[in-house]
Amino acid sequence: MQDNRVDVVTLGESMILFQSYNQGALQYEPLFTKSLAGAESNVAIGLSRLGKKTRWVGRLGSDPFGDLVLATLSGQGVDVSHAVRDNEAPTAVYFKDFKRYGDPAVYYYRKGSAASRLSPEMVDEAWLEGAGHLHVTGITPALGDHTAAATRKLMELAREKGMTISFDPNLRRKLWGEETARETLLSLIPLCDIFMPGDEEAEFLLGKLEIEAYGEAFLNRGPKLVAMKLGAEGSIGFTEKAVVRAEPFAVDRLIDTVGAGDAFASGLLSVLLDHREEIVGGLGEEALHEALHRANLLGSMATQFKGDWEGLPTLAEVRGILDGEKSVTR
Ligand code: KDG
C-alpha cells in the first residue's frame, strides 16, 4: 500500500527565476540562468534535504515553466501530486537584479498568474491528507483578490484536523499596499502555532518595540512559539516557558540574501517537527535553542550561494558542520 504520510505541506506560488549569469545588472546582462523560486517551495526543498517528507500545493500554468517547477520539485523529493494546472493563466516568472551587491532587487511578472487565481472554493481538503504540519507565508495572501481567503481556509482546515501550522509573514511590499498587508497578516497570526517574523516585519506589524516585547505581543495573539530573525544578530525565540537567543553564523562571502528566511524556516521546522507534541504546551529552552541554532546555520548558508535554495545542506552536512567535522573533499 502507498504511504501517503507527509511531515509538512506548504502552499504557495512557485515561479521560474531568471538570474543574470554573471550576476550583473539586469538591464545590460545578456545571459540568464533559469531555476525555481518561491518561498514555500524553498521551505519544502529545505525540509526535504533535511530528511522530512514534504508536499507542495499550488497552481501552475499548463505551460513548460509549470512543467519545470514540477520536475524540479519532484527531483528534490517534494510530493507534487496535488499541484493544480490552469489552462488559461501562466506560471509566473521573476528576475533578480544584482546591482545591489548581495541583496538583489527583484522584479516580478506574476499579475494574473495561475497562482493569483486561487480562491477558497479551490482549496481541497485532500491537499492535507496524511500530513502533520502546514507551512504558509504572507506572500500567497498578497497574490490575488481571493488568495487571502484561500490561505485562511486552508489554515482553518489544518486546525480542524489537529495539524500544527507555521506562518512566515514574508512581507513583500511590491505585491500589496501597506494597510491591507498589515491588516491581513495580523488577522492570520491567531491561526498559527509557530510565527516567524523578521525584526523589520515585527516593526511593520506592531510598531517600534523592544525585541523582547515583540515576543510577548505576538504570543498574546495566539501562536505558541515565536521565532524572530534578527539578521546579523542571529535570532530569538519565545514560548510560554522560555526566551532564548541564538548567535549568528559567520557569512564569509555574501552572494544572495534572497531565500535566507526560507532556509531559516526549514532549519527551524526540521527540529520543531521532532517536538510537535510539546509545541502546544510551550517548548522548553533546549529544543528551542537547537531549532534556532540550526535555523541560523541554514540562513547563513543560503546567503552564500546564488539561487534561493541551491546551497541548502542535507541533514548529514548539517550534523557535520555543527559537530565541527572537517569534510573530505578529495
Ligand atoms: O523568500 C524567497 C522568495 O522571496 C522568492 O523565492 C520569491 O516567493 C518569492 C516571492 O514572492 O518573493
Side-chain angles (χ1 to χ4, degrees), residues 140-159:
T140 312
L143 297 176
D145 294 342
H146 307 290
T147 52
T151 308
R152 172 180 296 279
K153 180 163 173 196
L154 193 64
M155 290 171 92
E156 283 167 352
L157 279 175
R159 262 265 142 112

Side-chain angles (χ1 to χ4, degrees), residues 2-11 14 40-41 43-45 47-49 52-58 60 69-84 126-131:
Q2 212 189 336
D3 182 4
N4 280 335
R5 276 172 307 159
V6 290
D7 297 303
V8 182
V9 173
T10 69
L11 162 75
S14 294
E40 303 81 1
S41 50
V43 173
I45 292 173
L47 282 165
S48 166
R49 289 198 177 171
K52 300 296 179 202
K53 288 188 82 178
T54 59
R55 174 185 299 148
W56 173 82
V57 292
L60 297 163
V69 169
L70 295 183
T72 310
L73 286 175
S74 349
Q76 293 298 320
V78 178
D79 170 22
V80 291
S81 57
H82 292 271
V84 178
W127 294 352
L128 303 176
E129 198 174 38

Side-chain angles (χ1 to χ4, degrees), residues 118-282:
L118 178 70
S119 66
E121 302 72 55
M122 296 173 186
V123 169
D124 186 348
E125 209 173 330
W127 294 352
L128 303 176
E129 198 174 38
H133 185 87
L134 170 70
H135 177 74
V136 291
T137 83
I139 297 174
T140 312
L143 297 176
D145 294 342
H146 307 290
T147 52
T151 308
R152 172 180 296 279
K153 180 163 173 196
L154 193 64
M155 290 171 92
E156 283 167 352
L157 279 175
R159 262 265 142 112
E160 281 166 26
K161 286 176 165 291
M163 293 168 62
T164 43
I165 303 172
S166 50
F167 177 43
D168 182 339
N170 257 342
L171 175 64
R172 297 289 181 267
R173 292 175 193 267
K174 283 193 172 184
L175 297 180
W176 50 355
E178 283 207 359
E179 276 311 303
T180 317
R182 187 175 295 109
E183 197 185 303
T184 310
L185 295 174
L186 284 172
S187 77
L188 294 173
I189 295 174
L191 288 169
C192 79
D193 303 286
I194 301 165
F195 184 53
M196 37 179 102
D199 47 359
E200 287 174 19
E201 289 166 331
E203 185 174 341
F204 172 82
L205 291 170
L206 299 181
K208 184 97 186 134
L209 300 176
E210 293 295 324
I211 293 296
E212 279 73 16
Y214 284 123
E216 200 186 329
F218 285 126
L219 287 176
N220 283 340
R221 286 173 181 261
K224 302 291 179 229
L225 191 155
V226 175
M228 266 181 78
K229 293 157 268 187
L230 305 175
E233 307 292 313
S235 58
I236 184 165
F238 305 88
T239 67
E240 210 174 276
K241 294 194 180 140
V243 178
V244 174
R245 269 195 185 255
E247 293 302 312
F249 282 81
V251 173
D252 299 326
R253 39 163 211 169
L254 179 65
I255 308 266
D256 180 357
T257 54
V258 181
D262 307 328
F264 178 92
S266 311
L268 187 88
L269 291 175
S270 70
V271 175
L272 294 183
L273 290 170
D274 294 339
H275 298 269
R276 243 168 53 79
E277 276 73 41
E278 296 151 65
I279 289 175
V280 175

Side-chain angles (χ1 to χ4, degrees), residues 305-328:
F305 285 83
K306 185 175 166 184
D308 278 21
W309 51 267
E310 285 81 345
L312 296 181
T314 62
L315 190 56
E317 285 167 340
V318 166
R319 290 195 174 133
I321 295 167
L322 293 178
D323 292 349
E325 262 171 30
K326 289 245 179 309
S327 54
V328 178

